[in-house]
Coordinates of all heavy atoms in Angstrom, one line a residue:
M1 N 36.4 -16.9 -21.3 CA 35.3 -16.1 -21.3 C 35.1 -15.3 -20.0 O 35.3 -15.9 -18.9 CB 34.1 -17.0 -21.5 CG 33.1 -16.5 -22.5 SD 31.7 -17.6 -22.7 CE 31.4 -17.1 -24.3
D2 N 34.7 -14.0 -20.1 CA 34.5 -13.3 -18.8 C 33.1 -13.7 -18.2 O 32.2 -13.9 -18.9 CB 34.5 -11.8 -19.1 CG 35.8 -11.3 -19.5 OD1 36.8 -11.8 -19.1 OD2 36.0 -10.4 -20.3
K3 N 33.2 -13.7 -16.8 CA 32.0 -14.0 -16.2 C 31.2 -12.8 -16.0 O 31.7 -11.7 -15.6 CB 32.3 -14.6 -14.7 CG 31.0 -15.0 -14.0 CD 31.4 -15.6 -12.7 CE 30.1 -15.8 -11.9 NZ 30.3 -16.2 -10.5
Y4 N 29.9 -12.7 -16.3 CA 29.1 -11.6 -16.1 C 28.8 -11.4 -14.6 O 28.5 -12.2 -13.9 CB 27.8 -11.9 -16.8 CG 26.7 -10.7 -16.4 CD1 26.7 -9.5 -17.1 CD2 25.7 -11.0 -15.5 CE1 25.8 -8.6 -16.7 CE2 24.8 -10.0 -15.2 CZ 24.8 -8.8 -15.9 OH 23.9 -7.8 -15.5
E5 N 29.0 -10.1 -14.2 CA 28.8 -9.8 -12.8 C 27.8 -8.6 -12.7 O 28.1 -7.5 -13.4 CB 30.1 -9.3 -12.1 CG 31.0 -10.6 -11.8 CD 32.1 -10.2 -10.9 OE1 31.9 -9.4 -9.9 OE2 33.2 -10.8 -11.0
P6 N 26.6 -8.8 -12.1 CA 25.7 -7.7 -12.1 C 26.2 -6.5 -11.3 O 27.0 -6.6 -10.4 CB 24.5 -8.4 -11.4 CG 25.0 -9.4 -10.7 CD 26.2 -10.0 -11.4
K7 N 25.7 -5.4 -11.7 CA 26.1 -4.2 -11.0 C 25.4 -4.2 -9.6 O 24.2 -4.7 -9.5 CB 25.7 -2.9 -11.7 CG 26.4 -2.7 -13.0 CD 25.9 -1.4 -13.7 CE 26.7 -1.2 -15.0 NZ 26.2 0.0 -15.6
P8 N 26.0 -3.7 -8.6 CA 25.3 -3.6 -7.2 C 24.1 -2.8 -7.3 O 24.0 -1.9 -8.2 CB 26.3 -3.0 -6.4 CG 27.4 -2.5 -7.2 CD 27.3 -3.0 -8.5
D9 N 23.1 -3.1 -6.5 CA 21.8 -2.4 -6.6 C 21.9 -1.2 -5.8 O 21.8 -1.1 -4.5 CB 20.7 -3.4 -6.0 CG 19.3 -2.8 -6.1 OD1 19.2 -1.9 -7.0 OD2 18.4 -3.3 -5.5
D10 N 22.3 0.0 -6.4 CA 22.4 1.2 -5.7 C 21.2 2.0 -5.9 O 20.8 2.5 -7.0 CB 23.6 1.9 -6.4 CG 23.8 3.4 -5.7 OD1 23.3 3.6 -4.6 OD2 24.6 4.1 -6.3
R11 N 20.5 2.2 -4.8 CA 19.1 3.0 -4.8 C 19.3 4.3 -4.0 O 18.4 4.9 -3.7 CB 18.1 2.1 -4.1 CG 17.8 0.9 -5.0 CD 16.7 0.0 -4.3 NE 16.5 -1.2 -5.0 CZ 15.3 -1.6 -5.4 NH1 14.2 -0.9 -5.0 NH2 15.1 -2.7 -6.1
S12 N 20.6 4.7 -3.8 CA 20.8 5.9 -3.1 C 20.1 7.1 -3.7 O 19.9 8.1 -3.0 CB 22.2 6.1 -2.8 OG 22.9 6.3 -4.0
D13 N 20.0 7.2 -5.0 CA 19.5 8.4 -5.7 C 18.1 8.2 -6.2 O 17.7 8.9 -7.1 CB 20.5 8.8 -6.7 CG 20.7 7.8 -7.9 OD1 20.2 6.6 -7.7 OD2 21.2 8.1 -8.9
N14 N 17.4 7.1 -5.7 CA 16.0 6.9 -6.2 C 15.1 8.0 -6.0 O 14.3 8.4 -6.9 CB 15.5 5.7 -5.6 CG 15.7 4.4 -6.3 OD1 16.6 4.4 -7.2 ND2 15.2 3.3 -5.8
V15 N 15.2 8.7 -4.8 CA 14.2 9.8 -4.6 C 14.4 10.9 -5.6 O 13.6 11.4 -6.1 CB 14.3 10.3 -3.2 CG1 13.5 11.5 -2.9 CG2 13.8 9.1 -2.1
E16 N 15.7 11.2 -5.8 CA 16.1 12.2 -6.8 C 15.6 11.9 -8.2 O 15.0 12.7 -8.9 CB 17.6 12.5 -6.8 CG 18.0 13.6 -7.6 CD 19.5 13.9 -7.6 OE1 20.1 13.6 -6.5 OE2 20.1 14.3 -8.6
K17 N 15.8 10.7 -8.6 CA 15.3 10.3 -9.9 C 13.8 10.3 -10.1 O 13.3 10.8 -11.0 CB 15.8 8.9 -10.2 CG 17.3 8.7 -10.6 CD 17.7 7.3 -10.7 CE 19.3 7.2 -11.0 NZ 19.7 5.9 -11.2
L18 N 13.2 9.9 -9.0 CA 11.7 9.9 -9.0 C 11.2 11.3 -9.0 O 10.2 11.7 -9.7 CB 11.2 9.2 -7.7 CG 11.2 7.7 -7.8 CD1 11.0 7.1 -6.4 CD2 10.2 7.1 -8.7
Q19 N 11.8 12.2 -8.3 CA 11.4 13.7 -8.3 C 11.6 14.3 -9.7 O 10.7 15.1 -10.1 CB 12.2 14.4 -7.2 CG 11.8 14.1 -5.7 CD 12.6 14.8 -4.8 OE1 13.8 15.0 -5.0 NE2 12.1 15.0 -3.6
D20 N 12.7 13.8 -10.3 CA 12.9 14.3 -11.7 C 11.7 13.8 -12.6 O 11.3 14.5 -13.5 CB 14.3 13.9 -12.3 CG 15.4 14.6 -11.6 OD1 15.2 15.7 -11.0 OD2 16.5 14.2 -11.8
M21 N 11.4 12.6 -12.5 CA 10.4 12.0 -13.3 C 9.0 12.7 -13.1 O 8.2 12.9 -14.0 CB 10.2 10.5 -12.9 CG 11.4 9.7 -13.5 SD 11.5 7.9 -12.9 CE 9.9 7.3 -13.3
V22 N 8.7 13.0 -11.7 CA 7.5 13.7 -11.5 C 7.5 15.1 -12.2 O 6.5 15.4 -12.8 CB 7.4 13.9 -10.0 CG1 6.3 14.9 -9.6 CG2 7.0 12.5 -9.2
Q23 N 8.5 15.8 -12.1 CA 8.7 17.1 -12.7 C 8.5 17.0 -14.2 O 7.8 17.9 -14.8 CB 10.1 17.8 -12.4 CG 10.1 19.2 -12.9 CD 9.1 20.1 -12.3 OE1 8.8 20.0 -11.0 NE2 8.6 21.0 -13.2
D24 N 9.2 16.0 -14.8 CA 9.0 15.8 -16.3 C 7.6 15.5 -16.7 O 7.1 16.0 -17.7 CB 9.9 14.7 -16.8 CG 11.4 15.0 -16.7 OD1 11.7 16.2 -16.6 OD2 12.2 14.1 -16.8
T25 N 6.9 14.7 -15.8 CA 5.5 14.4 -16.2 C 4.6 15.5 -16.1 O 3.7 15.8 -16.9 CB 5.0 13.3 -15.2 OG1 5.9 12.1 -15.4 CG2 3.6 12.8 -15.5
I26 N 4.9 16.4 -15.0 CA 4.1 17.6 -14.8 C 4.3 18.6 -16.0 O 3.3 19.1 -16.6 CB 4.4 18.2 -13.5 CG1 3.9 17.4 -12.3 CG2 3.8 19.8 -13.5 CD1 4.5 17.9 -10.9
E27 N 5.5 18.7 -16.4 CA 5.8 19.5 -17.6 C 5.1 18.9 -18.9 O 4.5 19.8 -19.7 CB 7.3 19.6 -17.8 CG 8.0 20.5 -16.8 CD 9.5 20.3 -16.9 OE1 10.1 19.8 -17.9 OE2 10.2 20.9 -16.0
N28 N 5.0 17.7 -19.0 CA 4.3 17.0 -20.2 C 2.9 17.4 -20.1 O 2.2 17.7 -21.1 CB 4.5 15.5 -20.2 CG 5.9 15.2 -20.7 OD1 6.7 15.9 -21.3 ND2 6.3 14.0 -20.3
I29 N 2.3 17.3 -19.0 CA 0.9 17.7 -18.8 C 0.6 19.1 -19.2 O -0.3 19.5 -20.0 CB 0.4 17.4 -17.4 CG1 0.3 15.9 -17.1 CG2 -1.0 18.0 -17.1 CD1 0.1 15.5 -15.7
E30 N 1.4 20.0 -18.7 CA 1.4 21.4 -19.0 C 1.4 21.7 -20.5 O 0.7 22.4 -21.1 CB 2.4 22.2 -18.1 CG 2.1 22.3 -16.7 CD 3.2 22.9 -15.9 OE1 4.3 23.2 -16.4 OE2 2.9 23.1 -14.7
E31 N 2.4 21.0 -21.1 CA 2.6 21.2 -22.6 C 1.4 20.7 -23.3 O 1.0 21.3 -24.4 CB 3.9 20.5 -23.0 CG 5.1 21.2 -22.5 CD 6.4 20.4 -22.8 OE1 6.3 19.4 -23.6 OE2 7.5 20.8 -22.3
S32 N 0.8 19.6 -22.9 CA -0.3 19.0 -23.6 C -1.5 20.0 -23.5 O -2.4 20.0 -24.4 CB -0.7 17.6 -23.0 OG -1.3 17.8 -21.8
H33 N -1.6 20.8 -22.4 CA -2.7 21.7 -22.4 C -2.6 22.8 -23.4 O -3.6 23.2 -23.9 CB -2.8 22.4 -20.9 CG -3.3 21.4 -19.9 ND1 -4.6 21.5 -19.4 CD2 -2.6 20.5 -19.2 CE1 -4.7 20.6 -18.5 NE2 -3.6 19.9 -18.3
E34 N -1.4 23.2 -23.6 CA -1.1 24.2 -24.8 C -1.4 23.5 -26.1 O -2.1 24.2 -27.0 CB 0.3 24.6 -24.7 CG 0.7 25.4 -23.5 CD 2.1 25.7 -23.3 OE1 2.9 25.7 -24.3 OE2 2.6 26.1 -22.2
T35 N -1.1 22.3 -26.3 CA -1.3 21.6 -27.6 C -2.8 21.5 -27.8 O -3.2 21.6 -29.0 CB -0.6 20.2 -27.5 OG1 0.7 20.4 -27.3 CG2 -0.9 19.5 -28.8
M36 N -3.6 21.2 -26.8 CA -5.0 21.0 -26.9 C -5.7 22.2 -27.5 O -6.7 22.1 -28.2 CB -5.7 20.6 -25.6 CG -5.6 19.2 -25.2 SD -6.8 18.8 -24.0 CE -6.0 19.3 -22.5
Q37 N -5.2 23.4 -27.4 CA -5.8 24.6 -27.9 C -5.8 24.5 -29.5 O -6.7 25.2 -30.0 CB -5.0 25.9 -27.5 CG -4.9 26.1 -26.0 CD -4.1 27.3 -25.7 OE1 -3.9 28.2 -26.5 NE2 -3.5 27.4 -24.5
Y38 N -5.0 23.8 -30.1 CA -4.8 23.7 -31.5 C -5.2 22.3 -32.1 O -5.0 22.0 -33.2 CB -3.5 24.1 -31.9 CG -2.9 25.4 -31.3 CD1 -2.0 25.4 -30.2 CD2 -3.4 26.6 -31.8 CE1 -1.7 26.6 -29.6 CE2 -3.0 27.8 -31.2 CZ -2.1 27.8 -30.2 OH -1.8 28.9 -29.6
S39 N -5.8 21.5 -31.2 CA -6.2 20.1 -31.6 C -7.6 20.0 -32.0 O -8.4 20.7 -31.5 CB -5.8 19.2 -30.4 OG -4.5 19.3 -30.1
S40 N -7.9 19.0 -32.7 CA -9.2 18.5 -33.1 C -9.9 17.9 -31.8 O -9.2 17.6 -30.9 CB -9.2 17.6 -34.2 OG -8.7 16.3 -33.8
D41 N -11.2 17.7 -31.9 CA -11.9 17.1 -30.8 C -11.4 15.7 -30.5 O -11.2 15.4 -29.3 CB -13.4 17.1 -31.1 CG -14.1 18.5 -31.0 OD1 -13.4 19.4 -30.3 OD2 -15.2 18.7 -31.5
N42 N -11.1 15.0 -31.6 CA -10.6 13.6 -31.4 C -9.3 13.6 -30.7 O -9.0 12.8 -29.8 CB -10.6 13.0 -32.8 CG -10.2 11.5 -32.6 OD1 -10.4 10.9 -31.7 ND2 -9.6 11.0 -33.7
Q43 N -8.4 14.6 -31.1 CA -7.1 14.6 -30.5 C -7.2 15.1 -29.0 O -6.4 14.6 -28.3 CB -6.2 15.6 -31.4 CG -5.8 15.0 -32.7 CD -5.1 16.2 -33.5 OE1 -5.4 17.3 -33.5 NE2 -4.1 15.8 -34.2
K44 N -8.1 16.0 -28.8 CA -8.3 16.5 -27.4 C -8.6 15.3 -26.5 O -8.1 15.2 -25.4 CB -9.3 17.6 -27.4 CG -8.9 18.9 -27.9 CD -10.0 20.0 -27.9 CE -9.5 21.2 -28.4 NZ -10.5 22.2 -28.5
E45 N -9.5 14.4 -26.9 CA -10.0 13.3 -26.2 C -8.7 12.3 -25.8 O -8.6 11.9 -24.8 CB -11.1 12.5 -26.8 CG -12.4 13.3 -26.8 CD -12.8 13.8 -25.5 OE1 -12.8 12.9 -24.5 OE2 -13.2 14.9 -25.2
K46 N -7.9 12.2 -26.9 CA -6.7 11.4 -26.7 C -5.7 12.0 -25.7 O -5.2 11.3 -24.9 CB -6.1 11.1 -28.0 CG -6.8 10.1 -28.9 CD -6.0 9.9 -30.3 CE -6.9 9.0 -31.2 NZ -6.2 8.9 -32.5
I47 N -5.6 13.2 -25.8 CA -4.7 13.9 -24.9 C -5.2 13.9 -23.4 O -4.5 13.7 -22.5 CB -4.5 15.4 -25.3 CG1 -3.7 15.5 -26.6 CG2 -3.8 16.2 -24.2 CD1 -3.7 16.9 -27.3
K48 N -6.5 14.1 -23.4 CA -7.1 14.0 -22.0 C -7.0 12.6 -21.4 O -6.6 12.5 -20.2 CB -8.7 14.2 -22.1 CG -8.9 15.8 -22.3 CD -10.5 16.0 -22.3 CE -10.7 17.5 -22.7 NZ -12.2 17.6 -22.9
A49 N -7.1 11.6 -22.2 CA -6.9 10.2 -21.7 C -5.5 9.9 -21.3 O -5.2 9.4 -20.2 CB -7.3 9.2 -22.7
K50 N -4.6 10.5 -22.1 CA -3.1 10.3 -21.8 C -2.8 11.1 -20.5 O -2.0 10.6 -19.7 CB -2.2 10.8 -22.9 CG -0.8 10.5 -22.7 CD -0.1 10.7 -24.1 CE 1.3 10.1 -23.9 NZ 2.0 10.1 -25.3
N51 N -3.4 12.3 -20.3 CA -3.1 13.0 -19.1 C -3.7 12.3 -17.9 O -3.1 12.4 -16.8 CB -3.7 14.4 -19.2 CG -2.8 15.4 -20.0 OD1 -1.6 15.1 -20.2 ND2 -3.3 16.6 -20.4
K52 N -4.8 11.7 -18.0 CA -5.4 10.9 -16.9 C -4.4 9.8 -16.5 O -4.2 9.5 -15.3 CB -6.7 10.3 -17.3 CG -7.4 9.5 -16.2 CD -8.8 9.1 -16.6 CE -9.5 8.5 -15.4 NZ -9.9 7.4 -15.2
R53 N -3.8 9.1 -17.5 CA -2.8 8.1 -17.2 C -1.5 8.8 -16.5 O -0.9 8.1 -15.6 CB -2.4 7.3 -18.4 CG -3.5 6.5 -19.0 CD -3.1 5.5 -20.1 NE -2.4 6.2 -21.2 CZ -3.2 6.7 -22.3 NH1 -4.5 6.5 -22.3 NH2 -2.6 7.2 -23.3
R54 N -1.2 9.9 -17.0 CA 0.0 10.6 -16.4 C -0.4 10.9 -14.9 O 0.4 10.9 -14.0 CB 0.3 11.9 -17.2 CG 0.9 11.7 -18.5 CD 1.1 13.0 -19.2 NE 1.8 12.8 -20.5 CZ 1.7 13.5 -21.5 NH1 0.6 14.4 -21.6 NH2 2.4 13.4 -22.5
E55 N -1.6 11.4 -14.6 CA -1.9 11.7 -13.2 C -1.8 10.5 -12.4 O -1.4 10.6 -11.3 CB -3.3 12.4 -13.2 CG -3.5 13.7 -13.9 CD -2.9 14.9 -13.0 OE1 -2.6 14.6 -11.9 OE2 -2.8 15.9 -13.6
E56 N -2.3 9.4 -12.9 CA -2.2 8.1 -12.1 C -0.8 7.7 -11.9 O -0.4 7.3 -10.8 CB -3.0 7.0 -12.9 CG -4.4 7.2 -12.9 CD -5.1 6.3 -13.9 OE1 -4.5 5.5 -14.6 OE2 -6.5 6.4 -14.0
S57 N 0.1 8.0 -12.9 CA 1.5 7.7 -12.7 C 2.1 8.5 -11.7 O 2.9 8.1 -10.9 CB 2.2 7.9 -14.0 OG 1.8 6.9 -15.0
L58 N 1.7 9.8 -11.7 CA 2.2 10.8 -10.7 C 1.9 10.3 -9.3 O 2.7 10.4 -8.4 CB 1.6 12.2 -10.8 CG 2.2 13.0 -12.0 CD1 1.3 14.3 -12.1 CD2 3.7 13.4 -11.8
E59 N 0.6 9.8 -9.0 CA 0.3 9.3 -7.7 C 1.2 8.1 -7.3 O 1.7 8.1 -6.2 CB -1.2 8.8 -7.7 CG -2.1 9.9 -7.8 CD -2.0 11.0 -6.6 OE1 -1.9 10.5 -5.4 OE2 -2.0 12.1 -6.9
G60 N 1.5 7.3 -8.3 CA 2.4 6.1 -7.9 C 3.8 6.6 -7.6 O 4.4 6.0 -6.7
M61 N 4.3 7.5 -8.5 CA 5.7 8.0 -8.2 C 5.7 8.7 -6.9 O 6.7 8.6 -6.1 CB 6.1 8.9 -9.3 CG 6.4 8.2 -10.6 SD 7.1 9.3 -11.9 CE 5.5 9.8 -12.7
R62 N 4.7 9.6 -6.6 CA 4.8 10.2 -5.2 C 4.7 9.3 -4.0 O 5.4 9.5 -3.1 CB 3.6 11.2 -5.2 CG 3.8 12.4 -6.1 CD 2.7 13.4 -6.1 NE 3.0 14.6 -6.8 CZ 2.0 15.1 -7.7 NH1 0.8 14.6 -7.8 NH2 2.4 16.2 -8.4
Q63 N 4.0 8.2 -4.3 CA 3.9 7.2 -3.2 C 5.3 6.4 -3.1 O 5.7 6.2 -1.9 CB 2.8 6.1 -3.5 CG 2.6 5.1 -2.3 CD 2.2 5.8 -1.0 OE1 1.4 6.6 -0.9 NE2 3.0 5.4 0.0
E64 N 5.9 6.2 -4.2 CA 7.2 5.6 -4.1 C 8.2 6.5 -3.5 O 9.1 6.0 -2.8 CB 7.6 5.2 -5.5 CG 8.7 4.2 -5.6 CD 9.0 3.7 -7.0 OE1 8.2 3.7 -7.9 OE2 10.1 3.1 -7.1
I65 N 8.1 7.8 -3.7 CA 9.1 8.8 -3.1 C 8.9 8.7 -1.6 O 9.8 8.6 -0.9 CB 8.8 10.2 -3.6 CG1 9.3 10.3 -5.1 CG2 9.5 11.2 -2.7 CD1 8.8 11.6 -5.7
K66 N 7.6 8.7 -1.1 CA 7.4 8.6 0.3 C 8.0 7.3 0.8 O 8.6 7.3 2.0 CB 5.8 8.6 0.6 CG 5.3 9.9 0.4 CD 3.7 9.9 0.6 CE 3.1 11.2 0.2 NZ 1.6 11.0 0.4
D67 N 7.8 6.2 0.1 CA 8.3 4.8 0.6 C 9.9 4.9 0.7 O 10.5 4.4 1.6 CB 7.9 3.7 -0.3 CG 6.4 3.4 -0.3 OD1 5.7 3.9 0.8 OD2 5.8 2.7 -1.1
E68 N 10.5 5.5 -0.4 CA 11.9 5.5 -0.4 C 12.4 6.4 0.7 O 13.5 6.2 1.2 CB 12.4 6.0 -1.8 CG 12.2 5.0 -2.9 CD 13.2 3.8 -2.8 OE1 14.4 4.0 -2.3 OE2 12.8 2.7 -3.1
A69 N 11.7 7.5 0.9 CA 12.2 8.5 2.0 C 12.3 7.8 3.3 O 13.0 8.2 4.2 CB 11.4 9.7 1.9
R70 N 11.4 6.9 3.6 CA 11.3 6.3 4.8 C 12.4 5.3 5.1 O 12.7 4.9 6.3 CB 10.0 5.4 5.0 CG 8.8 6.4 5.1 CD 7.5 5.5 5.4 NE 6.4 6.3 5.1 CZ 5.4 5.9 4.3 NH1 5.4 4.7 3.7 NH2 4.3 6.7 4.0
K71 N 13.1 4.9 4.1 CA 14.2 3.9 4.2 C 15.5 4.5 4.7 O 15.9 5.6 4.6 CB 14.5 3.2 2.8 CG 13.4 2.4 2.4 CD 13.6 1.7 1.1 CE 12.5 0.9 0.6 NZ 12.7 0.3 -0.7

């Protein structure tokens, strides 16, 4: 039986990955604004709530980028 060996913890591209995630999240927010134009009031409220969570995630990702850049 082969012994399982974990992959080394390579964080050299973390900042780049986080920046991509930030960009994707921003694009999702922008797309949701377009979607809201054609949504019911109930759907609009759900989209607004989701965008609030996205904004909170952006703050966390931006902080993580700062932390990683210091390393």
Side-chain angles (χ1 to χ4, degrees):
M1 221 179 209
D2 293 329
K3 182 180 176 192
Y4 170 78
E5 291 191 31
K7 293 181 181 178
D9 190 15
D10 180 13
R11 296 176 181 233
S12 61
D13 61 349
N14 269 9
V15 171
E16 184 179 327
K17 287 179 182 176
L18 286 164
Q19 288 171 332
D20 288 344
M21 290 169 53
V22 166
Q23 187 60 42
D24 290 344
T25 303
I26 290 169
E27 289 172 9
N28 287 339
I29 291 171
E30 290 171 353
E31 288 173 11
S32 74
H33 286 260
E34 294 173 21
T35 301
M36 276 198 281
Q37 296 176 28
Y38 309 102
S39 301
S40 68
D41 288 340
N42 186 28
Q43 289 172 322
K44 285 180 185 177
E45 289 306 313
K46 289 179 182 179
I47 292 169
K48 287 178 186 178
K50 190 166 192 171
N51 281 345
K52 184 174 191 237
R53 292 189 301 272
R54 286 175 171 148
E55 292 287 347
E56 291 168 357
S57 293
L58 283 173
E59 288 302 315
M61 287 185 270
R62 287 177 176 139
Q63 185 59 49
E64 195 171 343
I65 288 170
K66 288 178 188 175
D67 293 345
E68 286 291 323
R70 288 186 198 128
K71 293 180 182 179

